[in-house]
Amino acid sequence: MIALTRVSRTFPARSETVAALHEIDLTVAEGEFVAVIGRSGCGKSTLLRLIAGLLEPTSGTITVDGGPVHGPRRDVALMQQQPALLPWRTALGNVLLPVEMARLPRAAGAGRARELLDAVGLAGFHHRHPYELSGGMQQRVALCRALIQQPRVLLMDEPFSALDALTREDMAAQLQALHLARPATTVFVTHSIQEAVLLADRVVVLSPRPGRVREVLAVDIPRPRSLGRSAALPAVAECVAHLHDVLAKAGDA
Amino acid sequence: MTRIRSAGLPVLGAVTALAVWWSATAVFGIRSFFLPAPPDIVEAFRRQPAYLLRETGSTVAVTVTGFGIAVVAGLLLAMTLTAWRALERATLPVLVALNSVPKVAVAPLLVVWLGFGAQPKIVLVVLICFFPVVVATMAGLTSTPAELSELSRSLSASVWQAYVKIRLPWALPQMFVGLKVGISLAVIGAVVAEINNPTGGLGAVIVLSGTSFDTPLAFAAITLLAVLSTALFYLVVALERLLVPWARAISG
Ligand SMILES: Nc1ncnc2c1ncn2[C@@H]1O[C@H](COP(=O)(O)OP(=O)(O)OP(=O)(O)O)[C@@H](O)[C@H]1O
Ligand SMILES: [Mg+2]
């Protein structure tokens, strides 16, 4: 479980300070999947960094699994907005990095790493280096790296932004299947309203400057959902249309 | 096709340069004392190959010893100075300034301080290639991209893990930039020291050939220096390809 209480974060800028997030109140229940949408620069990445313990809030408190966040923890995985792969390691080697950092046996992790790479459609690419992979492939390697430790809390920052529409749907379906099989407490940042509605239990809309919670929408649509077919369901269409309106207004504010 | 081109074009260029040089000496009747033709240089080498090879060996020994010391000391210093941000900030400008001082100027002083043996030569080589190695390695160690630093923090990496698994490998390509500059300068340093203090080495051969007006011999020594310098440079390049094959790929 993740709980944020009146969390604000400002950054020092040239003359004044930039308020990236302002008094955010948000709880994500154990095993819940929350999607966060909002315009560019409204503080989505900052929100994930705060939960991951990479940044400290200027004010307010954050707890993960009941304890206050003091810094990064091994059961919290962050998939960054950039793939951030090590250029000297193969896809497999990159996925195994968290295993090595946790000083766990590499051999045990390797089997799971291969399965994950196969699952995201990189079966023939285990031994390729990042420079031999497309942007979308690199992003999928980063996804596997975030998943390998089977984290209790999974934070994802636009994990599918570099993918084409069809691969994106495949990946979303994979992620949904993984989540149904073993629900991690998930915060998923995306720019795609459809994706948010497809994957999330609740969708949080942030408004920019300063980042505030504009609206929280519960998505009560039975799973498994699929982008292709569920998109036509009236309930989905309604959610998407509503979020679109909120997001459009949030931009003007 | 591209392979033929990549190997063939440099060879073609070299052969053409030789041909122009040779025909110029023949057409204009330039005396070999003034500008020897390629065969004169080969002849000069064949007159005393053992002597020339021995002096080459002596230059190689000075160069490699000095370079080796500079690399080991340079890497250690760079790692130490980048361990603390404040220390790095304080020392980097000094190092960059020292790097731009022409070290060859101290060659005569080194003889005064250290005598006529190999020591002042090795010290000059160390001085001349130490700073590029330090500065390049420091640059590499401090250029870790923000997202990789964040990654290692988010994985709760220990200081040692972050260093060995991320920061150090990331620095290798830039470190090799320093090593490549360093090895070229090392040969120059050795020759300058030998010219200044002509007790041995190819630099001494050049000085002696001057006093005996044996220009082809000087050219033979210069040719050997060029070969030596190129060979050492490509040795470092080969090591780079072996250790950081990915660097070429990401720098495009
Ligand atoms: N380290 C930092 N230093 C200064 N300002 C920062 C820093 N990180 C973020 N900001 C500022 O905070 C605001 C929110 O940034 P953030 O990266 O969280 O946005 P975002 O919602 O993730 O945007 P995008 O969708 O483009 O990724 C921006 O105005 C940004 O300039
Ligand atoms: Mg962002």
Side-chain angles (χ1 to χ4, degrees):
Chain A
M1 173 160 123
I2 305 168
L4 291 88
T5 334
R6 297 170 65 84
V7 170
S8 301
R9 172 70 206 204
T10 57
F11 290 105
R14 268 168 233 282
S15 50
E16 78 285 30
T17 55
V18 175
L21 290 174
H22 185 71
E23 306 218 322
I24 303 283
D25 280 306
L26 179 68
T27 45
V28 184
E30 190 70 40
E32 192 186 11
F33 195 119
V34 165
V36 177
I37 59 176
R39 301 220 171 182
S40 185
C42 71
K44 304 181 296 296
S45 298
T46 305
L47 181 70
L48 292 192
R49 287 198 180 100
L50 286 166
I51 301 171
L54 293 166
L55 275 180
E56 291 201 3
T58 315
S59 64
T61 54
I62 306 174
T63 61
V64 170
D65 285 340
V69 173
H70 289 304
R73 329 179 352 167
R74 289 208 198 277
D75 55 354
V76 176
L78 170 68
M79 181 182 167
Q80 296 155 284
Q81 196 164 352
Q82 309 86 357
L85 300 178
L86 304 181
W88 52 90
R89 284 183 177 232
T90 60
L92 189 64
N94 268 290
V95 176
L96 283 171
L97 186 70
V99 176
E100 286 174 32
M101 292 294 199
R103 297 204 166 80
L104 297 172
R106 216 181 128 97
R112 182 164 161 73
R114 289 203 185 85
E115 278 171 30
L116 282 168
L117 284 168
D118 290 350
V120 299
L122 294 176
F125 297 91
H126 294 192
H127 300 289
R128 299 291 182 82
H129 285 81
Y131 55 83
E132 299 170 287
L133 303 175
S134 73
M137 291 166 143
Q138 293 180 21
Q139 213 169 30
R140 282 179 271 165
V141 174
L143 175 66
C144 295
R145 184 178 60 194
L147 293 172
I148 184 130
Q149 291 263 64
Q150 304 201 311
R152 287 173 56 87
V153 174
L154 183 56
L155 309 169
M156 290 188 273
D157 201 344
E158 300 183 35
F160 306 146
S161 60
L163 303 181
D164 66 280
L166 282 177
T167 313
R168 208 173 165 129
E169 285 173 26
D170 289 347
M171 287 303 108
Q174 282 284 351
L175 190 63
Q176 178 176 240
L178 282 169
H179 186 72
L180 288 176
R182 194 187 158 281
T185 308
T186 306
V187 181
F188 179 95
V189 169
T190 177
H191 277 147
S192 158
I193 298 174
Q194 277 82 4
E195 207 166 81
V197 171
L198 168 74
L199 287 168
D201 297 306
R202 286 186 299 151
V203 181
V204 174
V205 183
L206 292 185
S207 63
R209 268 171 292 273
R212 297 168 191 266
V213 176
R214 176 80 181 206
E215 178 161 331
V216 181
L217 179 76
V219 184
D220 293 317
I221 301 169
R223 288 194 170 94
R225 311 170 189 156
S226 92
L227 263 188
R229 261 175 279 137
S230 310
L233 292 177
V236 172
E238 199 180 307
C239 279
V240 169
H242 178 73
L243 287 170
H244 190 272
D245 287 348
V246 175
L247 208 52
K249 268 190 240 137
D252 309 331
Chain B
M1 185 61 204
T2 47
R3 280 188 78 163
I4 295 174
R5 239 187 237 163
S6 69
L9 285 181
V11 171
L12 186 69
V15 168
T16 313
L18 268 180
V20 170
W21 169 14
W22 194 343
S23 44
T25 55
V27 171
F28 301 113
I30 301 174
R31 280 174 305 153
S32 134
F33 160 68
F34 196 71
L35 176 64
D40 301 333
I41 296 165
V42 174
E43 174 56 29
F45 180 79
R46 286 176 52 182
R47 251 186 293 140
Q48 35 194 351
Y51 164 65
L52 280 172
L53 286 180
R54 196 179 66 230
E55 300 309 318
T56 307
S58 157
T59 302
V60 171
V62 167
T63 308
V64 172
T65 311
F67 180 68
I69 295 171
V71 169
V72 172
L75 295 186
L76 288 177
L77 184 70
M79 289 181 192
T80 314
L81 294 184
T82 49
W84 296 278
R85 193 144 187 92
L87 190 61
E88 170 218 324
R89 288 260 183 94
T91 51
L92 193 57
V94 180
L95 287 167
V96 171
L98 282 175
N99 189 19
S100 56
V101 170
K103 260 75 64 184
V104 292
V106 301
L109 288 174
L110 289 175
V111 179
V112 174
W113 292 331
L114 298 169
F116 291 98
Q119 258 188 45
K121 298 177 189 168
I122 293 172
V123 171
L124 186 67
V125 173
V126 173
L127 277 180
I128 209 169
C129 56
F130 176 70
F131 295 99
V133 173
V134 176
V135 171
T137 308
M138 283 178 78
L141 284 171
T142 52
S143 69
T144 317
E147 71 263 23
L148 290 188
S149 309
E150 187 174 74
L151 171 74
S152 79
R153 280 184 62 212
S154 83
L155 294 175
S156 308
S158 68
V159 174
W160 173 251
Q161 285 176 325
Y163 203 80
V164 171
K165 289 187 193 287
I166 293 174
R167 206 168 161 202
L168 204 56
W170 182 268
L172 285 178
Q174 266 168 292
M175 189 191 96
F176 267 101
V177 171
L179 293 187
K180 285 187 279 189
V181 172
I183 193 68
S184 313
L185 289 176
V187 180
I188 297 175
V191 176
V192 169
E194 288 164 356
I195 289 177
N196 200 259
N197 168 16
T199 50
L202 290 169
V205 173
I206 295 168
V207 172
L208 298 181
S209 70
T211 59
S212 59
F213 303 104
D214 190 351
T215 314
L217 181 63
F219 269 78
I222 291 168
T223 310
L224 284 170
L225 273 174
V227 171
L228 169 64
S229 185
T230 313
L232 287 174
F233 181 80
Y234 279 102
L235 219 60
V236 176
V237 171
L239 192 66
E240 180 186 23
R241 298 234 174 125
L242 196 74
L243 287 180
V244 283
W246 50 274
R248 266 156 60 87
I250 61 168
S251 66

